[in-house]
Amino acid sequence: MEKYLSLILLAAPGFIAERIANVLGVSSPRKGEFDSLAGYLSYSFFSVLITIAISALTGIVDLSENWQDFTEKFSSVGFTVKLLLTTLCSAILVGSSWALVGNKLFMRVLNFVNVKAGRNKRHMTGNLLNKIFDDGKEHFIIIRRNGEKIAVGFIYSASDPSDDTSEIVVTEYPEYRVELERAENEPDRPSYLQNVLQTYIDVKNNLVITETEYPPEWIH
């Protein structure tokens, strides 16, 4: 039993930390079993490291003990509860720190190196659709497929990059399309929709998503 508890101590933090990071916005592309395991182990490494540091500072564990003595302590309910609670706190700390600070800082440093080396910037966490639109702000978009407008409005929600199907929900009102027609057919008439902010192209599915400015009153 003690050995099983020690294995949980090593494995569980990775799952917890990754889930915390996902809830706080860290997304990732679809991964195979090996990549997923590597991700869990990466989170577990830092979680366990912090757990050991906190436990040593608080006197829960003695670093001079050998592994056998350590596992035998799991026969004590008090020791097990203290260590598992410490592990939980460490996993939450790792997951939230990575999501709020570490992930962006890590990619910024690597992309700085890429730029200095004459390479393009890379985006490694999820797909570009989530990267450019999942920022907590309102985005007014026009979705076209084969030149046909299939959606005009504000992004309401999008699927996670790890899902098997890529989905997006757009909130539409008739006035959006009316104003877009005016902006396209009357170029001399000022319109917010004439100001293109960025264009996302899904080459595989032949989709073009154009983001434009929008009248401030639409947001209300």
Side-chain angles (χ1 to χ4, degrees), residues 156-169:
Y156 178 73
S157 183
S159 59
D160 190 88
S162 61
D163 293 343
D164 293 332
T165 303
S166 295
E167 301 172 311
I168 186 170
V169 178

Side-chain angles (χ1 to χ4, degrees), residues 14-89:
F15 292 93
I16 298 171
E18 186 182 56
R19 292 308 172 196
I20 294 294
N22 288 342
V23 170
L24 292 177
V26 175
S27 55
S28 59
R30 301 179 186 90
K31 299 183 294 186
E33 293 181 0
F34 179 80
D35 290 332
S36 298
L37 179 60
Y40 292 139
L41 291 177
S42 298
Y43 281 108
S44 288
F45 173 80
F46 292 101
S47 298
V48 172
L49 191 64
I50 293 176
T51 298
I52 293 174
I54 295 175
S55 299
L57 291 174
T58 56
I60 297 176
V61 299
D62 185 354
L63 295 182
S64 63
E65 296 177 326
N66 57 42
W67 182 252
Q68 184 64 34
D69 294 334
F70 174 73
T71 55
E72 288 178 356
K73 281 188 174 183
F74 278 100
S75 59
S76 168
V77 175
F79 173 80
T80 302
V81 171
K82 289 179 182 179
L83 198 58
L84 289 179
L85 286 176
T86 304
T87 301
L88 176 61
C89 292

Side-chain angles (χ1 to χ4, degrees), residues 199-214:
T199 301
Y200 169 87
I201 302 174
D202 184 342
V203 178
K204 180 180 179 180
N205 297 305
N206 200 22
L207 287 175
V208 177
I209 302 177
T210 305
E211 180 183 10
T212 71
E213 293 184 353
Y214 54 87

Side-chain angles (χ1 to χ4, degrees), residues 134-151:
D134 186 17
D135 57 1
K137 301 178 182 178
E138 297 289 347
H139 296 275
F140 184 83
I141 62 171
I142 301 113
I143 303 179
R144 296 181 176 89
R145 186 171 188 176
N146 298 323
E148 178 185 358
K149 302 183 192 72
I150 59 176

Side-chain angles (χ1 to χ4, degrees), residues 114-133:
N114 277 332
V115 171
K116 289 298 182 180
R119 303 187 182 96
N120 293 330
K121 290 184 177 181
R122 300 293 300 275
H123 172 65
M124 302 297 291
T125 54
N127 57 26
L128 284 175
L129 181 66
N130 287 69
K131 179 182 185 296
I132 61 180
F133 293 131

